[in-house]
Amino acid sequence: MRAEIIAVGTELLMGQIANTNAQFLSKGLADLGIGVYFHTVVGDNAGRIKESLALAKSRADLIICTGGLGPTQDDITKDVLAEVLGRPLVIHQPSMDKMTELFAKRNMPMVESNARQALMLEGSDPLANETGLAVGVALTVDGTRYVLLPGPPSEMKPMFELQVKPWLEANVEGLEALHSTMLKFAGIGESSLEHQLIDLIDAQTDPTIAPYAKEGEVAIRLTTRAGSAQEAARKLKPLEDEIRRRLGGFIYAAEDISLEEFLLRELASRGQTLAVAESCTGGQLSDLLTAVPGSSNAFAGGVISYTNQVKHRVLGIPLNELEGEGAPGAVSAETAIRMAEAVRTLCGADYGLSVTGVAGPSESEGKPVGLVYVGIAGGGEAAAVELQAWGNRSTIKLRASKSALYQLWERLKS
Amino acid sequence: MRAEIIAVGTELLMGQIANTNAQFLSKGLADLGIGVYFHTVVGDNAGRIKESLALAKSRADLIICTGGLGPTQDDITKDVLAEVLGRPLVIHQPSMDKMTELFAKRNMPMVESNARQALMLEGSDPLANETGLAVGVALTVDGTRYVLLPGPPSEMKPMFELQVKPWLEANVEGLEALHSTMLKFAGIGESSLEHQLIDLIDAQTDPTIAPYAKEGEVAIRLTTRAGSAQEAARKLKPLEDEIRRRLGGFIYAAEDISLEEFLLRELASRGQTLAVAESCTGGQLSDLLTAVPGSSNAFAGGVISYTNQVKHRVLGIPLNELEGEGAPGAVSAETAIRMAEAVRTLCGADYGLSVTGVAGPSESEGKPVGLVYVGIAGGGEAAAVELQAWGNRSTIKLRASKSALYQLWERLKS
């Protein structure tokens, strides 16, 4: 079964909104075992919508359109499909009655054009709209399945879950759902990870292996089609085992959670706490940690020692170590260690984690942009690691924050 | 000029991410006066990418592709276009050197496949990648313009702004660009702003008025097409004047800068500094401030007093004010004021700004999710403001951070 998604709406082509509907539908179809091969976005233009429908019909068995079901003159998706398929539009009486009742309730005159929202193609299955007025449409013509959904996500999503899924399950033979396992990595780059799995990736058939990188994190998704979760597990396990055999040391979780959430869980389970001292990351490390609900169970807080004055006044680092002839300086392993130890003591936490570096755009202390030191105290001797982050100011901040989390993980493992 | 955007990436068809690149590019092209007629999303499949390129070529003068420039076996966009156009791929030496140097700096072996990221089509213009490794490509063949950009937004966006825009302006005749003025507001909600300008919005023709809200900030963009900046200014000024007459007190800038950047500039121009004490925002306020290059000129740093223990140990707030029978508690005006005063003194700053509240998901001290107190010290008597933020944990954190910045602006104005 090959599916395509056509989003209709000039506002998408103007960049006023992103096509999040296509993402939602693609996920939903994948879960049903239906592969999506193309997304298309087209404006509110009859000729171009026709062109897109004809193209999709030539290569897909299932065509889902979103948008253009509303009351305005721009909303022409149903009209165009009706013309393409040579089917007249007819009133869906229940939708019409619902609308009439609604306007009556609100003592509002029902503008004529609203009736358009109750139209459906003759011989199609109506898809009830729980959260709006426009009725959806599903029908099969010459073996091609067409589904028309409203554009507003608040209407489209429930209609897909409550109406389209059952309709597909009833109308499409032998759907076999996709099952996948997510492996999350830290401390290894995407290219080096792929390099060490290249033979598996090249040889992949079923299960499939998809590596991908979000800022500062790398993940691999193993995916297979199966009739049951048990069968899926049986198919996925050998591949996961082989990947763990090669790279197990970099895998922090076998589920889609961030490194910070994983670490907070780990600390909480040990009844331990973390305090951070941030210089170049300027609060981002703490922000990542406190984005996790319940972070206060393991995150005590910390100090943003952005200037040397604060490093000195709040963390008690001697000024002559931060400035002047022969001093290690603010961006140094020595200062990173001092910061980690000081914040740990100050906050009364089990671990102190620190970051100091040069986020840019310009160098500092004659040290290059991207040079970062991560310090860690607690659970062993205090230590610091030097790393060279790259990118612009915001990516350097993020990579430095993620690297600090990685160092904490290393410490927790040991 | 008719443009199309082709996003390459199976992860888009799997619904793992939304095609936000197409939105960003559509907006950017509209600003240049270039109309976008189709978006297409295609997987990492040579045959289907070819098919999409051929179709786009048949109906567009400008084809922008995103994704598939990375080092992995899936990244084939350059290879496919090279084949379609019959142009060999050649090494872009500066990108190659940059990469080699980078891996050397990090003492990491450079995996062979990375070299793929330095490839470009023979005779094309390279587009430098400020935030990543893959070089972009721009070229014109038989009157059709092709632009290949990386998939990660953190790389694609700067490449479009810094490389593609100038390239288009140099290579496309008679672009009558859109000129716009951005008015940034603080302390007023989108709906109330729209309400007070509704007559202007309804009557808009040229210039157009587009109000929009990003989390925690409201802005209005006035836009017109003009051959010159002078002509544009002449068309935009009367409308801006009228809006200022009505809502001038809420306008902090007539350019697209964040409230935090504006405030840091203002403080720096006065030679003053700011320190922050964050509880429920957990570092986000500091992160927003330090995202601004040069923030260290005015931002001293602060304390993330996430737990009462840290409020007590680091900021010296008496425990009996934070806990126990009849105590104001951590989430209170009294504590907000204490935090602001304490962090100001501790860091030796001119202003102390504090945030304490309930970010959720569950209530705290029997106080409801979203209840936030912002405290400010310096430049007058210390004070606190209560506000009720709404949304989920992350939106509450952001709104609380932005509200704190607004309070600082109020204080600086007085």
Side-chain angles (χ1 to χ4, degrees):
Chain A
M1 177 115 223
R2 298 165 77 92
E4 294 197 26
I5 297 167
I6 300 175
V8 180
T10 301
E11 69 278 13
L12 288 155
L13 296 177
M14 302 276 294
Q16 287 160 7
I17 56 172
N19 188 9
T20 54
N21 284 346
Q23 178 186 16
F24 175 85
L25 290 169
S26 296
K27 233 195 216 103
L29 292 169
D31 293 346
L32 290 171
I34 298 174
V36 176
Y37 286 75
F38 291 93
H39 296 169
T40 303
V41 176
V42 58
D44 305 309
N45 172 284
R48 288 191 285 277
I49 296 172
K50 261 184 225 169
E51 184 185 327
S52 303
L53 284 168
L55 177 63
K57 184 182 184 318
S58 71
R59 55 191 189 186
D61 325 295
L62 170 62
I63 301 169
I64 299 188
C65 300
T66 59
L69 306 195
T72 79
Q73 295 309 309
D74 290 349
D75 296 307
I76 55 177
T77 307
K78 285 174 183 172
D79 311 71
V80 173
L81 184 63
E83 189 185 335
V84 167
L85 298 179
R87 297 254 186 138
L89 291 171
V90 297
I91 290 282
H92 177 244
Q93 201 51 50
S95 301
M96 192 62 179
D97 299 343
K98 174 184 163 193
M99 207 163 5
T100 323
E101 187 190 339
L102 184 95
F103 279 91
K105 251 204 220 133
R106 297 182 177 166
N107 309 313
M108 283 168 56
M110 184 173 124
V111 182
E112 184 47 49
S113 60
N114 275 292
R116 291 172 48 72
Q117 301 183 89
L119 292 174
M120 58 186 274
L121 278 75
E122 193 175 67
S124 65
D125 299 317
L127 305 172
N129 189 334
E130 306 266 323
T131 52
L133 297 178
V135 64
V137 168
L139 77 163
T140 306
V141 177
D142 308 334
T144 306
R145 292 178 175 76
Y146 300 86
V147 174
L148 306 187
L149 303 175
S154 60
E155 299 178 33
M156 186 278 295
K157 291 180 177 180
M159 192 180 287
F160 180 78
E161 293 297 337
L162 304 171
Q163 305 285 324
V164 179
K165 275 187 173 178
W167 187 85
L168 288 170
E169 273 150 355
N171 288 270
V172 179
E173 293 296 303
L175 291 178
E176 212 178 28
L178 282 178
H179 299 263
S180 56
T181 300
M182 178 81 89
L183 299 176
K184 300 286 305 260
F185 294 76
I188 182 171
E190 185 184 22
S191 54
S192 130
L193 175 134
E194 176 166 331
H195 181 66
Q196 297 181 58
L197 301 178
I198 192 66
D199 55 319
L200 301 177
I201 292 167
D202 288 345
Q204 70 178 289
T205 50
D206 176 22
T208 56
I209 307 178
Y212 61 90
K214 268 184 301 178
E215 281 297 354
E217 285 194 16
V218 182
I220 286 185
R221 186 189 291 263
L222 310 178
T223 307
T224 187
R225 281 191 201 293
S228 73
Q230 295 75 354
E231 184 196 344
R234 213 166 39 246
K235 291 169 75 177
L236 293 169
K237 180 139 196 335
L239 184 55
E240 178 177 344
D241 290 347
E242 177 57 21
I243 293 171
R244 285 185 175 279
R245 194 182 63 72
R246 301 184 188 190
L247 300 170
F250 298 102
I251 300 173
Y252 69 82
E255 60 181 308
D256 191 6
I257 61 167
S258 64
L259 183 54
E260 48 272 22
E261 178 167 5
F262 167 77
L263 291 168
L264 286 164
R265 258 194 223 172
E266 183 63 26
L267 286 166
S269 72
R270 303 177 181 197
Q272 295 181 314
T273 59
L274 169 70
V276 304
E278 301 189 60
S279 185
C280 65
T281 49
Q284 183 166 36
L285 175 54
S286 303
D287 185 36
L288 288 171
L289 288 159
T290 57
V292 179
S295 47
S296 53
N297 297 330
F299 180 66
V303 174
I304 317 247
S305 51
Y306 207 55
T307 57
N308 285 346
Q309 189 187 22
V310 173
K311 291 183 184 73
H312 173 60
R313 291 176 65 132
V314 184
L315 295 176
I317 301 177
L319 275 176
N320 61 19
E321 292 190 11
L322 296 170
E323 292 160 6
E325 201 49 51
V331 179
S332 65
E334 293 84 344
T335 298
I337 291 174
R338 286 258 195 196
M339 288 168 65
E341 286 175 324
V343 81
R344 173 174 177 250
T345 312
L346 189 64
C347 298
D350 297 290
Y351 295 92
L353 188 60
S354 71
V355 193
T356 180
V358 186
S362 46
E363 59 170 36
S364 158
E365 300 181 340
K367 288 158 185 169
V369 172
L371 176 65
V372 173
Y373 292 90
V374 171
I376 183 150
E381 197 184 336
V385 177
E386 173 185 318
L387 50 110
Q388 184 61 47
W390 51 281
N392 59 20
R393 184 177 176 88
S394 67
T395 49
I396 288 172
K397 281 180 68 180
L398 180 56
R399 288 179 174 135
S401 300
K402 290 283 186 175
S403 305
L405 293 168
Y406 174 64
Q407 294 306 324
L408 174 60
W409 182 39
E410 287 286 298
R411 177 62 60 110
L412 290 179
K413 278 191 291 185
S414 66
Chain B
M1 176 117 222
R2 298 165 76 93
E4 293 197 27
I5 297 167
I6 300 174
V8 179
T10 301
E11 68 278 15
L12 288 155
L13 295 177
M14 302 275 295
Q16 288 162 4
I17 55 173
N19 189 10
T20 54
N21 285 346
Q23 178 186 17
F24 175 86
L25 290 169
S26 297
K27 228 194 223 110
L29 291 170
D31 291 348
L32 292 171
I34 298 174
V36 176
Y37 286 75
F38 291 94
H39 295 170
T40 303
V41 176
V42 57
D44 304 307
N45 173 284
R48 289 192 284 277
I49 296 172
K50 262 184 225 169
E51 184 184 327
S52 303
L53 283 168
L55 177 63
K57 184 182 183 324
S58 72
R59 54 190 188 186
D61 326 296
L62 169 63
I63 302 169
I64 299 187
C65 300
T66 59
L69 306 195
T72 79
Q73 299 301 311
D74 291 349
D75 297 307
I76 56 176
T77 307
K78 285 174 182 172
D79 311 71
V80 173
L81 184 63
E83 191 186 333
V84 168
L85 298 179
R87 297 255 185 136
L89 290 170
V90 296
I91 289 281
H92 178 242
Q93 202 52 46
S95 303
M96 192 63 176
D97 299 343
K98 174 185 162 190
M99 207 164 4
T100 321
E101 184 191 345
L102 181 93
F103 279 91
K105 250 201 217 143
R106 300 153 131 195
N107 309 313
M108 282 170 57
M110 183 172 125
V111 180
E112 183 47 50
S113 60
N114 274 293
R116 291 173 45 72
Q117 301 183 89
L119 291 175
M120 58 187 273
L121 277 75
E122 192 174 68
S124 65
D125 300 316
L127 305 173
N129 189 332
E130 307 264 321
T131 53
L133 296 179
V135 63
V137 168
L139 77 163
T140 305
V141 177
D142 308 333
T144 307
R145 294 177 174 76
Y146 300 86
V147 174
L148 305 187
L149 303 176
S154 61
E155 299 178 31
M156 186 280 293
K157 291 179 178 181
M159 192 180 287
F160 180 78
E161 293 296 337
L162 303 172
Q163 306 284 325
V164 179
K165 276 187 170 177
W167 188 84
L168 289 171
E169 274 150 353
N171 288 271
V172 178
E173 292 297 302
L175 290 179
E176 192 181 41
L178 287 174
H179 297 262
S180 54
T181 299
M182 178 81 88
L183 299 176
K184 300 289 302 265
F185 295 77
I188 182 172
E190 186 184 23
S191 54
S192 131
L193 175 135
E194 193 166 331
H195 179 67
Q196 297 183 59
L197 301 178
I198 192 65
D199 55 319
L200 301 176
I201 292 167
D202 289 344
Q204 70 178 288
T205 50
D206 177 20
T208 57
I209 307 179
Y212 61 90
K214 267 183 303 176
E215 282 297 353
E217 283 194 18
V218 182
I220 287 186
R221 186 192 288 260
L222 311 178
T223 306
T224 188
R225 264 187 215 296
S228 74
Q230 294 76 350
E231 184 196 342
R234 211 166 38 246
K235 291 168 75 176
L236 294 170
K237 182 146 193 333
L239 186 54
E240 176 177 345
D241 290 346
E242 176 56 22
I243 293 170
R244 284 186 176 280
R245 196 182 61 73
R246 300 185 188 188
L247 299 170
F250 298 102
I251 299 173
Y252 68 82
E255 59 182 308
D256 190 7
I257 61 168
S258 64
L259 183 55
E260 49 272 22
E261 178 167 5
F262 167 77
L263 292 168
L264 286 166
R265 263 193 218 172
E266 183 62 26
L267 285 167
S269 72
R270 303 177 181 198
Q272 295 181 315
T273 60
L274 168 71
V276 305
E278 302 188 59
S279 186
C280 65
T281 48
Q284 183 166 37
L285 175 55
S286 303
D287 185 36
L288 289 171
L289 288 161
T290 57
V292 179
S295 47
S296 52
N297 297 330
F299 180 66
V303 174
I304 304 187
S305 51
Y306 208 54
T307 57
N308 285 347
Q309 190 187 18
V310 173
K311 291 182 184 73
H312 173 60
R313 292 176 66 132
V314 184
L315 295 176
I317 301 176
L319 275 176
N320 61 19
E321 292 190 13
L322 297 170
E323 293 161 5
E325 201 50 54
V331 180
S332 65
E334 293 84 341
T335 298
I337 290 173
R338 285 257 195 197
M339 287 168 67
E341 286 175 323
V343 82
R344 174 176 177 247
T345 312
L346 188 63
C347 297
D350 298 290
Y351 295 91
L353 188 60
S354 71
V355 193
T356 179
V358 186
S362 46
E363 59 169 39
S364 158
E365 300 181 339
K367 289 159 184 167
V369 172
L371 177 65
V372 173
Y373 292 89
V374 171
I376 184 151
E381 197 184 338
V385 177
E386 173 184 318
L387 50 115
Q388 184 62 47
W390 53 278
N392 60 21
R393 183 178 176 88
S394 67
T395 49
I396 288 172
K397 280 181 68 181
L398 182 56
R399 291 188 170 122
S401 300
K402 291 284 185 175
S403 306
L405 292 169
Y406 175 64
Q407 294 307 324
L408 174 61
W409 183 39
E410 287 286 298
R411 177 61 62 109
L412 290 180
K413 278 192 290 186
S414 66

